Amino acid sequence: MDHQKLRESISAAWATDVLPSLSGLVEIPAVSPGYDADWEEHGHLRAAVEHVRGWVASRGLPDARCDVVQLDGRAPLLLVDVPATPGAAATGTVLLYGHLDKQPPLGDWSEGLGPWQAVIRDDRLYGRGSADDGYSGYAATTALEAVRGAGGEHARAVLLLETGEESGSPDLPAYLEHLDGRLGEVSLVVCLDGGGGDYERLWLTSSLRGAVQATVTVRVLETGVHSGLGSGVVPSSFRVMRQLLDRLEDPETGEVKVAEMVVPIPEERRAEAAELVALHPEVAVPRFPLRPGMRRVSDDDVELVLNNTWRPTLSVTGAGGLPDPAVAGAVLRAWTSLRLSFRLPPSADAEAARVALEKILTTDVPYGAQVEVGDFMVMNGWHAPVLAPWLASALRQVGDRVFGKPCQSMGIGGGIPFMEMLGRRYPRAQFVVTGALGGDSNAHVPDEWLHIPFAVQVTEAVAHLLDAHARAGGQA
């Protein structure tokens, strides 16, 4: 393969073809179904899929098939099937994954920026879904084109872009069953929904946490009453909620007490965390915008990495029944509702954790208060398999040829449901979970942006891996 030709074609494609279409994708408000109950009526998810389908179909990949697949009542997905190059017809299937659904706007964006407004400034493409991860389908398609144009090889490649990842991918199990005969024998999975701590090297995700989310409501009264009359007689719903939370989490240390959410940390991941801290201390633990005087959970960076990747944590991400302080009257409120979000270790059983959580919250409730637990989101984590020799060698070459620095592995505190599903379905497959998302790319919050030169390099890296996989004969 002509590496110089590969690089030049990818750079040219991004400048002239990818960015205009990707900008158009940013402008589609394709909010994930979990945040838009009327998503089907609004049609934005379908519009996003059709937008990318049209672009991929226009690229002229030989005999490529671009299908929009939608089961009844489920969010659509785009499936692109690209036949192997002549010399790699017997090397199995490469499955390339990304998603087209987006988080909601969530807050005020900076002046001149907006969630559905594509703006390019200083090598950055701003807009919701730019980095997480609307670029993925464009990068995968461009990599396939470039491999062919530079004289390289690639196995049969299937690009799968779903529209429910930000909602926990609830429809993917059904789609995997539906598409089972079309995916073939997958020997390599390339997921472009990841990223890392800087834009200087390819970052590989070694593990992903799972999650259990639930809405918990404590009810103590049919209606609110005057606090001067009711307090001291009726326990506040907030106090009952606080006691229940103490069953789940140590209020002093933050340690999660639910046994089903705790697993032993593998020694290789402890070693990886220590290496990450030693080699990339500025990346290992992001420097979040703490308020003056605020301290982190620990002064030990290795422990902080493990907290974020292999230990369960609880965040309260929403509340109901609590009026704004400016208009809060002297009322003993009838109910309090909280949205609980647990991040689980990669190897924890999320369903077992959900069952345990519900039991803890509804058994022997203080004062006999009424507790409702529902609106669950359950997602298993994922732990990467050991790299095959061909893939380890290819990643070293990517580090040398594309970035000039070695690749780096690290665990991620977030999750990608599809990886665990694929890991169970294709236990012999190799996995590369990577991407252009940086630690400061503002995914899920205002001013999300994609580092364009880095995305171009990630595209080149994927092209090298496709060629190496084909030349290795698709070995697991």
Side-chain angles (χ1 to χ4, degrees):
M1 188 167 65
D2 185 329
H3 302 296
Q4 185 61 33
K5 186 174 182 179
L6 180 85
R7 174 169 295 177
E8 291 172 354
S9 67
I10 289 173
S11 295
W14 264 89
T16 61
D17 302 318
V18 172
L19 283 174
S21 184
L22 178 55
S23 296
L25 179 64
V26 165
E27 294 170 358
I28 300 173
V31 174
S32 195
Y35 304 96
D36 181 6
D38 298 320
W39 62 268
E40 196 158 15
E41 178 183 345
H42 292 154
H44 300 312
L45 294 176
R46 182 78 184 203
V49 170
E50 291 288 357
H51 179 87
V52 178
R53 185 205 63 77
W55 185 85
V56 174
S58 73
R59 303 307 297 167
L61 282 167
D63 299 318
R65 177 178 173 182
C66 302
D67 293 330
V68 177
V69 184
Q70 185 166 14
L71 300 176
D72 287 345
R74 300 187 184 276
L77 61 78
L78 177 62
L79 192 73
V80 180
D81 192 335
V82 183
T85 53
T91 53
T93 298
V94 177
L95 183 59
L96 300 121
Y97 168 83
H99 66 88
L100 299 174
D101 59 315
K102 309 174 185 182
Q103 285 278 321
L106 296 174
D108 296 327
W109 289 54
S110 297
E111 185 176 356
L113 303 178
W116 319 127
Q117 178 183 357
V119 176
I120 296 179
R121 293 180 184 170
D122 300 326
D123 288 334
R124 297 181 176 189
L125 172 62
Y126 288 89
R128 178 63 82 225
S130 57
D132 186 21
D133 65 347
Y135 77 91
S136 58
Y138 294 95
T141 302
T142 301
L144 288 165
E145 288 181 319
V147 168
R148 287 174 170 268
E153 301 281 352
H154 68 74
R156 174 187 178 233
V158 174
L159 171 60
L160 190 154
L161 301 175
E162 65 155 319
T163 59
E165 193 275 340
E166 300 293 2
S167 301
S169 298
D171 296 335
L172 264 183
Y175 277 117
L176 284 177
E177 289 296 330
H178 179 71
L179 298 170
D180 186 47
R182 294 182 60 179
L183 296 182
E185 187 57 39
V186 176
S187 54
L188 174 64
V189 176
V190 179
C191 170
L192 290 170
D193 192 25
D198 62 27
Y199 305 102
E200 298 179 5
R201 72 203 81 234
L202 189 70
W203 291 87
L204 306 171
T205 300
S206 60
S207 64
L208 296 157
R209 285 196 292 184
V212 172
Q213 296 180 8
T215 299
V216 182
T217 302
V218 173
R219 300 184 188 275
V220 297
L221 292 164
E222 295 296 335
T223 61
V225 299
H226 192 300
S227 61
L229 299 176
S231 60
V233 178
V234 179
S236 77
S237 59
F238 190 88
R239 180 155 67 89
V240 175
M241 180 72 79
R242 191 171 62 201
Q243 290 177 267
L244 293 175
L245 291 180
D246 286 350
R247 295 179 178 182
L248 305 174
E249 176 193 54
D250 186 313
E252 296 292 329
T253 66
E255 179 182 355
V256 172
K257 299 178 180 180
V258 183
E260 289 79 1
M261 296 184 180
V262 181
V263 303
I265 302 176
E267 287 304 316
E268 66 268 26
R269 296 308 170 212
R270 289 184 180 272
E272 180 183 80
E275 177 186 72
L276 183 66
V277 169
L279 294 179
H280 307 288
E282 74 289 351
V283 168
V285 181
R287 297 306 185 244
F288 298 110
L290 299 177
R291 298 293 295 176
M294 179 68 187
R295 299 188 304 275
R296 300 180 303 174
V297 171
S298 171
D299 293 327
D300 186 328
D301 280 4
V302 174
E303 291 305 305
L304 291 176
V305 171
L306 294 174
N307 284 349
N308 185 245
T309 57
W310 276 91
R311 294 189 179 113
T313 56
L314 168 62
S315 299
V316 176
T317 59
L322 297 164
D324 188 276
V327 296
V331 176
L332 181 64
R333 296 175 300 100
W335 58 279
T336 297
S337 183
L338 296 180
R339 183 66 173 170
L340 307 184
S341 178
F342 288 91
R343 292 291 179 172
L344 305 181
S347 57
D349 184 328
E351 177 58 23
R354 184 201 67 79
V355 171
L357 172 66
E358 186 170 16
K359 182 178 180 181
I360 290 170
L361 290 171
T362 57
T363 302
D364 297 326
V365 177
Y367 303 102
Q370 184 183 82
V371 176
E372 302 163 4
V373 187
D375 194 18
F376 287 103
M377 192 282 282
V378 178
M379 176 178 72
N380 281 317
W382 172 80
H383 191 193
V386 176
L387 294 178
W390 74 263
L391 182 53
S393 175
L395 288 169
R396 286 193 295 270
Q397 292 180 7
V398 163
D400 291 340
R401 291 174 176 169
V402 180
F403 296 92
K405 293 185 178 181
C407 302
Q408 178 67 51
S409 295
M410 64 183 293
I412 298 294
I416 306 173
F418 196 36
M419 294 305 100
E420 188 272 339
M421 297 178 199
L422 287 177
R424 281 188 286 110
R425 185 171 289 267
Y426 303 108
R428 298 183 64 246
Q430 288 288 288
F431 284 74
V432 176
V433 180
T434 187
L437 188 68
D440 58 352
S441 293
N442 293 339
H444 295 203
V445 299
D447 297 355
E448 178 180 338
W449 59 277
L450 175 71
H451 190 293
I452 297 170
F454 187 62
V456 173
Q457 287 182 298
V458 170
T459 304
E460 185 181 345
V462 172
H464 280 282
L465 295 178
L466 290 170
D467 183 65
H469 169 260
R471 296 181 188 282
Q475 299 174 30

